[in-house]
Amino acid sequence: MLNEEICKLRDKLNKSIENGNDYSITYKLSIELDELIAKYYRSKTLTKNS
């Protein structure tokens, strides 16, 4: 589930960069992607420790 969300957001971020969208939009997408990736790794760490 998180993998799919990460892939979709990564594609959206890449398109934003390629299209030269406003920096604030690209930055917002980047922050959202970072948060999803952190959430993914936290869930993996919790799974390993259980």
Side-chain angles (χ1 to χ4, degrees), residues 7-45:
C7 287
K8 287 178 187 177
L9 195 52
R10 184 181 298 133
D11 288 341
K12 200 172 180 180
L13 174 61
N14 287 339
K15 287 178 185 171
S16 177
I17 293 168
E18 289 171 2
N19 294 334
N21 289 351
D22 186 70
Y23 176 77
S24 62
I25 294 169
T26 303
Y27 182 74
K28 181 179 179 256
L29 290 170
S30 178
I31 295 298
E32 289 176 21
L33 181 58
D34 287 347
E35 289 171 354
L36 273 181
I37 292 170
K39 186 175 180 181
Y40 172 81
Y41 280 109
R42 277 193 303 270
S43 73
K44 288 292 184 184
T45 301

